[in-house]
């Protein structure tokens, strides 16, 4: 049991039990360790009529079961040859040597089944009985005189077999229980990291830049402090403290320069550090009560941009669980910072696309609108005035800045201004009908619907000599608002429709391409434009805006 406790503290053994890969060099070291356990078992044996009743096979079988054939065979050879050398020509030397080597071979071959078995201690106990029976048989076969061999077997058969089988079972049970407890602690720690991640995600979504880092750091530090036994939690960037909650917050204040030398080391090296004493932390404040710390880097594209620090009020009190918690949170927060940056870049791209669309004012539309208004100034001045108001409204909404979403009715007003000007040009050739319920509740990105209506008029209705109709209809559902824009124009060939969003060279389609990309960027692929069209029958475009 003492050896079992010692083994559980050896890192190589921990890797074995947790089934991590080990090198040939590691296997050789393990073979020597368990071979030494076998030798110790020989030396603490009890002399009985010229023989030794011993616990040699315990170390060999445990080594074989945990380490596999290589460890089992080599440790068996080490302990077996030792038994042979210390008593050459002894009464039971040959059978003991043979049974020791066979114990290593048998346990090594059974290693895979052992690791898959749920009752490891029982499997190990039964395994230990096999080489003991072989040893008893070998004593009867090789030891002489035969009468002495029978006498010895009668004395040692039951006590040695039972004792060594129980010894192997206890050894395995102790080692296994230690690592079961570690697995539970690791599972609890992983669960804690996920819970913290769930509560802090909404803050990291805002980003970790100059505008948002202070709020994100403060709220996250509070959450970690509330959910763990950590006495103090802090975040820094490369130079300054962003937030410090708990022990030490009286002098480690947001906005101050980093006070601890250990934090500066982590920022410079990008490698986590553990401090067990106040001096190792290196706080310049004499009365600082921070006694232990784990400091992990926060990274963005492999560059250290700050640190997460967990403090305790007692020296050497940072446990393995604390370390794994800090490393897990550091990695998680670094990933969230990366994702928030990607999201931020995506928003910038979306805004850039909107600016490009806003800047894409068709000069032909402007010239035609001005000429139309000019033609009305003499014949119908009031109508000319109305058209100028609509033109101004059209350009004002087309150039609105820093607006990510607008009300559906604002977007409809924009369309109406555009249509008034076009109807003034084409008269009865263009008819537009709106079916928008007064109580509809929908907000959407600006300039989403107008390019679709414009596309329907230019390439659908006006391509027909007799003109046609356009209908804009909105329906409010529980999860989304469905907006349908339908025309009875010339329609599109299926081949053209299938390549509509792929053919970037078609300048006439750039408005639809932009709208489609913006919808997918904001709401996901499932909210891309749905377009249905038949030649000489018209085109229907469906826009789905989630609530």
């Amino acid at each position: 049991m003492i050896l079992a406790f010692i083994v559980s503290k050896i890192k190589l053994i921990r890797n074995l039990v947790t089934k991590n890969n080990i090198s040939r060099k590691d296997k050789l070291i393990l073979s020597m360790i368990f071979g030494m356990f076998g030798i110790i078992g020989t030396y603490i044996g009890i002399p009985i009529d010229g023989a030794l009743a011993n616990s040699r096979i315990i170390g060999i079988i445990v080594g074989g079961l945990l380490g596999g054939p290589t460890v089992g065979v080599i440790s068996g050879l080490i302990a077996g040859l030792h038994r042979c050398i210390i008593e050459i020509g002894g009464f039971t030397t040959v059978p003991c040597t043979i049974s020791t080597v066979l114990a290593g071979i048998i346990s090594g071959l059974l290693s895979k089944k052992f690791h898959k078995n749920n009752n490891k201690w029982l499997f190990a106990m039964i395994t230990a009985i096999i080489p003991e029976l072989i040893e008893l048989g070998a004593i009867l076969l090789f030891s002489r005189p035969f009468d002495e061999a029978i006498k010895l077997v009668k004395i040692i058969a039951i006590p040695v077999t039972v004792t060594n089988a129980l010894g192997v079972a206890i050894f395995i049970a102790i080692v296994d229980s230690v690592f079961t407890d570690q697995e539970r602690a690791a599972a609890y720690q992983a669960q804690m990291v996920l819970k913290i991640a769930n509560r802090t995600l909404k803050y990291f979504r805002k980003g970790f830049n100059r505008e948002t880092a202070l709020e994100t750091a403060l709220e996250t530090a509070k959450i970690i402090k509330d959910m763990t036994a950590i006495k103090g939690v802090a975040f820094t960037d490369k130079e300054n403290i962003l937030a410090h909650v708990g022990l030490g917050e009286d002098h480690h204040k947001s906005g101050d320069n980093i006070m601890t030398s250990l934090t500066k080391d982590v920022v410079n090296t990008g490698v986590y550090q553990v401090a067990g004493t106040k001096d190792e932390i290196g706080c310049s404040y004499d009365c600082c009560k921070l006694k232990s710390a784990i400091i992990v880097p926060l990274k963005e594209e492999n560059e250290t941009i700050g640190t997460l620090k967990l403090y305790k009020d007692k020296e050497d009190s940072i446990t393995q669980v604390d370390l794994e918690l800090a490393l897990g949170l550091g990695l998680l927060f670094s990933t969230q910072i990366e994702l928030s940056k990607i999201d931020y870049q995506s928003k910038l791209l979306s805004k850039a696309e909107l600016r490009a669309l806003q800047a894409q004012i068709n000069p032909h539309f402007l010239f035609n609108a001005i000429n139309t208004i000019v033609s009305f100034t003499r014949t119908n001045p009031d109508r000319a005035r109305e058209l100028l108001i609509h033109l101004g409204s059209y350009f004002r909404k087309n150039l609105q800045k820093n607006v990510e979403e607008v009300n559906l009715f604002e977007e409809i007003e924009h369309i109406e201004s555009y249509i008034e000007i076009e109807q003034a040009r084409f008269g009865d050739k263009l008819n537009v009908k709106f079916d928008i319920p007064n109580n509809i509740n929908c907000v959407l990105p600006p300039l989403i619907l107008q390019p679709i209506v414009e596309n329907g008029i230019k390439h659908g209705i006006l391509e027909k000599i007799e003109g046609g109709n356009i209908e804009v209809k909105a329906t409010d559902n529980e999860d989304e608002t469905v907006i349908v824009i339908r025309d009875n124009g010339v329609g599109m060939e299926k081949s053209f429709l299938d390549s509509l969003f792929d053919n970037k060279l078609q300048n006439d389609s750039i408005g639809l391409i932009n709208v489609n990309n913006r919808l997918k960027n904001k709401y996901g692929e499932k909210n891309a434009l749905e377009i249905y069209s038949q030649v000489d029958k018209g085109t229907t475009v469906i826009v789905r805006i989630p609530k």
Side-chain angles (χ1 to χ4, degrees), residues 6 34 38 71 115 146-147 156 160 290 306 345 377 390 410 456 529:
I6 294 173
F34 287 109
V71 176
H115 283 295
F146 187 69
D147 292 342
I156 69 171
V160 171
L290 303 174
Q345 294 292 345
T377 54
H390 284 300
E410 294 181 53
L529 287 177

Side-chain angles (χ1 to χ4, degrees), residues 25 35 42 80 104 113-114 137 166 204-205 242-243 251 329 414 463 483 516:
K25 179 182 178 181
T42 297
K113 291 186 177 180
F114 165 77
L166 287 174
F204 277 95
R205 276 179 175 168
L242 298 176
H251 60 283
L329 289 175
H414 186 214
E463 293 290 330
I483 304 167
N516 191 54

Side-chain angles (χ1 to χ4, degrees), residues 294-313:
I294 166 71
I295 304 174
V296 297
L298 299 176
K299 296 189 176 184
E300 183 180 291
E301 295 181 354
N302 296 322
E303 178 187 355
T304 301
I305 61 170
T307 65
L308 164 65
K309 307 191 287 183
L310 306 183
Y311 292 107
K312 286 193 169 182
D313 57 354

Side-chain angles (χ1 to χ4, degrees), residues 92-326:
T92 58
T93 298
V94 173
C96 287
T97 301
I98 293 173
S99 64
T100 302
V101 175
L102 286 175
I105 295 173
I106 292 170
S107 59
L109 294 175
L110 293 174
S111 176
K112 287 185 178 180
K113 291 186 177 180
F114 165 77
H115 283 295
K116 295 178 181 178
N117 198 285
N118 292 327
N119 295 319
K120 289 183 171 57
W121 67 271
L122 182 60
F123 186 96
M125 185 171 68
I126 295 172
T127 301
I129 294 174
I130 299 173
E132 286 293 351
L133 296 177
I134 292 174
E135 181 175 13
L136 294 174
I139 291 174
L140 295 175
L141 186 62
F142 294 105
S143 298
R144 295 293 180 270
F146 187 69
D147 292 342
E148 293 296 324
I150 292 177
K151 180 181 176 182
L152 177 63
V153 168
K154 286 181 179 179
I155 296 173
I156 69 171
I158 294 177
V160 171
T161 301
V162 172
T163 302
N164 284 345
L166 287 174
V168 170
I170 292 172
F171 200 118
I172 291 295
I174 291 176
V175 173
D176 193 46
S177 67
V178 170
F179 296 111
T180 299
D181 291 341
Q182 288 184 348
E183 288 178 357
R184 288 173 181 167
Y188 173 78
Q189 174 262 337
Q191 186 180 39
M192 181 62 66
V193 169
L194 291 175
K195 287 182 178 179
I196 293 173
N198 186 50
R199 291 185 58 182
T200 59
L201 182 59
K202 63 181 180 181
Y203 298 107
F204 277 95
R205 276 179 175 168
K206 298 178 182 179
F208 204 71
N209 48 51
R210 289 180 179 271
E211 294 78 17
T212 61
L214 291 176
E215 180 189 2
T216 299
L218 178 61
E219 296 301 328
T220 303
K222 289 179 179 178
I223 290 170
I224 297 173
K225 174 70 168 53
D226 292 341
M227 295 183 66
T228 65
I230 300 299
K231 300 299 182 181
V233 182
F235 282 91
T236 74
D237 57 20
K238 288 184 176 182
E239 298 176 352
N240 304 109
I241 300 169
L242 298 176
H244 190 113
V245 176
L247 196 68
E249 65 182 8
D250 57 327
H251 60 283
H252 293 273
K253 296 181 178 180
S254 175
D256 290 350
N257 292 331
I258 295 174
M259 299 179 65
T260 60
S261 57
L262 195 65
T263 304
K264 296 176 183 177
D265 290 341
V266 174
V267 170
N268 292 330
T269 64
V271 179
Y272 78 87
Q273 297 281 354
V274 179
T277 65
K278 177 182 176 181
D279 292 338
E280 290 179 2
I281 294 174
C283 179
S284 56
Y285 185 70
D286 292 336
C287 299
C288 184
K289 296 180 180 180
L290 303 174
K291 301 295 180 65
S292 297
I294 166 71
I295 304 174
V296 297
L298 299 176
K299 296 189 176 184
E300 183 180 291
E301 295 181 354
N302 296 322
E303 178 187 355
T304 301
I305 61 170
T307 65
L308 164 65
K309 307 191 287 183
L310 306 183
Y311 292 107
K312 286 193 169 182
D313 57 354
K314 295 180 181 178
E315 292 190 348
D316 296 317
S317 58
I318 299 296
T319 66
Q320 185 66 25
V321 173
D322 296 330
L323 176 60
E324 294 298 332
L325 174 67

